[in-house]
Amino acid sequence: MVVVSKPVIEQFSSYLKNNKPTTLFTQIPLVDLSKPDSKHQIIKACEEFGFFKVINHGVPMESISMLESEATKFFSLPLCEKQKTGQPQPYGYGHKRIGIHGDVGWVEYLLLTTNQDPSLHSFQTFRVALNNYMKSVKKMACEILEMMADGLKIQPRNVLSKLLMDEESDSVFRVNHYPPCPNVQPLSGNGNGNGDVIGFGEHTDPQIISVLRSNNTSGLQISLREGSWISVPPDQTSFFINVGDSLQVMTNGRFKSVKHRVVTNSVKSRLSMIYFCGPPLSEKIAPLPSLMRGDQQSLYKEFTWFEYKKSAYNSRLADNRLIHFEKIAAS
């Protein structure tokens, strides 16, 4: 449980006070992975939203339920037990503080590597559940990336998915737990208990894509291109996909990484599980040559994933990290 004093709660609240009211958005792009022509829906969603929902994903509900159950048990433990996984530097258990530059949220979390993370050596059942879940989710993520390649008409079709399959892939897994926040005032009319206390501040994900699954509690919001925020209806049987900064660069800005955040709930806790699909640290990130047309110029300087990851780690959540890697247009 996250225990925070009232002044700190007010600090969380200040993140959202100046933003326009959000609306519940029911037209989230929907992709059915069982249909071969879904590649076109994926491309359209990545261009317009940088975000879409996936159904018929092939991840067994048994694996999903088992990991959620283990995660719920973990976050119910006394603080001293949870801290046995280590301090978040960056991997391990953390609460309230997000990163090293002053970002805070009404959240506790567990950040893990995807390669037999030693943080869970005392939680064998959790580790088994995580491994089973990750096997299926990684397969789904690769399928989505290959459908993207098909939709973009680039070869080979594993040009993106091979970065996840690489033994040196720098992918990470995060479980976020947002306890009920008793100081939240429910918004009038929608009855979902969302208020103005931030759970996780606005940001984009630096990786290629992120694969998100949460329980049936609302809280996730995404920013549309014009800057308005919309609430995403929860769906515990589906997955949501975020375009990350690296994919934005690899498509030379054709796809846009989606800015998103989480607000708290006054009644129910929210549990989310996110697989961040990262390339090897030495991988050079630049627009894919097969997507460049004629004399089209790259919008970004070439960089390695290690360089970008380091830059992201040393920034605030809401910072525009890509601005440091954009090319300055000649006057």
Side-chain angles (χ1 to χ4, degrees), residues 10 210 221 243 300:
E10 291 171 352
S210 306
Q221 299 178 349
V243 169
Y300 306 94

Side-chain angles (χ1 to χ4, degrees), residues 8-20:
V8 180
I9 290 177
E10 291 171 352
Q11 180 183 2
F12 295 159
S13 303
S14 67
Y15 278 89
L16 295 182
K17 284 180 179 177
N18 296 324
N19 286 312
K20 297 177 181 178

